[in-house]
Amino acid sequence: DADVTQTPRNRITKTGKRIMLECSQTKGHDRMYWYRQDPGLGLQLIYYSFDVKDINKGEISDGYSVSRQAQAKFSLSLESAIPNQTALYFCATKDLYTGELFFGEGSRLTVL
Amino acid sequence: QKEVEQNSGPLSVPEGAIASLNCTYSDRGSQSFFWYRQYSGKSPELIMFIYSNGDKEDGRFTAQLNKASQYVSLLIRDSQPSDSATYLCAVIAAGSQGNLIFGKGTKLSVKP
């Protein structure tokens, strides 16, 4: 099993719908991240969490919200999806000693 | 705005050649540097990290860091078609709360 698991892996939805992407990890890392990737734009940080009580906005947080339900779980919500939120979304955890990020397999979201 | 710049490519090299990927960063206080490989539609995976000036070798991969010139490079020796992917450079800049800042990636194509 993957150390960082994302569900769903693929989702097609309609404009205005609420969507939740879930992430769980077995690496025991405190820090968790949500990134968005668009073709040619690299990885953009949406939200990050240093622990259950510490959640921070990234560079593109508008239109998104998150919840850190436990050390192992970090979910991303789109309250009212719009087409320009169509993208590949990655959850990641961080090893504090090396700085390395460990990514989930990604969730491809299409908003029609 | 702290930035990480990469040539988007595509960089095309013949099988067996050396591929050279370059990355520059804007924040002089950056301390940690990472190279990730990402196959199309897949999640990024770490190739190497480097913290100190100079070279760091791991198999066919060598990372080179020059903090004075603010660049980090990745050399791939004996390139194989399986090395064809997008390579992401990432930097932990000073004052970034330990968050990685990613470049947009360089697409490498290794021709048989």
Side-chain angles (χ1 to χ4, degrees):
Chain A
D1 289 341
D3 293 326
V4 183
T5 303
Q6 294 182 228
T7 55
R9 296 289 313 282
N10 288 283
R11 182 72 183 268
I12 300 174
T13 191
K14 295 181 178 179
T15 298
K17 295 291 188 180
R18 183 178 187 273
I19 296 296
M20 178 180 285
L21 306 180
E22 298 184 329
C23 178
S24 62
Q25 55 118 344
T26 59
K27 298 195 73 68
H29 293 160
D30 287 325
R31 297 193 177 191
M32 297 187 73
Y33 300 79
W34 274 105
Y35 286 92
R36 166 180 173 157
Q37 189 173 42
D38 300 275
L41 291 182
L43 287 161
Q44 297 175 281
L45 183 60
I46 307 173
Y47 270 95
Y48 58 103
S49 172
F50 288 168
D51 63 38
V52 174
K53 296 182 180 180
D54 188 353
I55 294 177
N56 303 276
K57 293 182 177 180
E59 55 188 308
I60 58 162
S61 60
D62 287 349
Y64 302 95
S65 62
V66 292
S67 175
R68 185 81 183 266
Q69 300 94 327
Q71 187 208 36
K73 295 184 182 296
F74 191 37
S75 60
L76 176 71
S77 293
L78 288 69
E79 296 301 325
S80 179
I82 56 177
N84 76 0
Q85 292 178 311
T86 294
L88 184 56
Y89 291 85
F90 288 105
C91 174
T93 70
K94 186 178 181 183
D95 182 323
L96 280 182
Y97 296 103
T98 64
E100 179 183 357
L101 287 175
F102 295 85
F103 288 88
E105 294 175 308
S107 296
R108 185 169 297 280
L109 176 65
T110 302
V111 183
L112 302 177
Chain B
Q1 182 79 3
K2 297 173 182 176
E3 296 181 338
V4 177
E5 299 286 343
Q6 297 181 253
N7 187 322
S8 62
L11 173 65
S12 183
V13 301
E15 184 174 356
I18 296 175
S20 178
L21 305 165
N22 299 311
C23 171
T24 59
Y25 57 94
S26 62
D27 180 55
R28 187 169 288 278
S30 299
Q31 294 296 321
S32 305
F33 307 85
F34 304 82
W35 282 102
Y36 281 82
R37 177 177 62 199
Q38 186 177 24
Y39 293 111
S40 181
K42 304 296 185 182
S43 58
E45 54 182 343
L46 183 71
I47 299 174
M48 295 185 69
F49 57 79
I50 185 168
Y51 303 144
S52 303
N53 274 331
D55 295 358
K56 180 181 179 181
E57 186 174 320
D58 184 0
R60 296 187 296 112
F61 299 93
T62 299
Q64 299 175 318
L65 175 61
N66 184 321
K67 290 186 177 180
S69 299
Q70 295 176 233
Y71 81 80
V72 57
S73 61
L74 180 70
L75 301 178
I76 307 174
R77 291 182 299 280
D78 188 23
S79 295
Q80 302 297 308
S82 59
D83 294 325
S84 298
T86 296
Y87 290 80
L88 304 172
C89 173
V91 171
I92 297 180
S96 68
Q97 296 189 293
N99 295 335
L100 275 67
I101 301 171
F102 284 85
K104 295 179 180 180
T106 297
K107 187 172 184 179
L108 173 66
S109 176
V110 181
K111 303 295 186 182

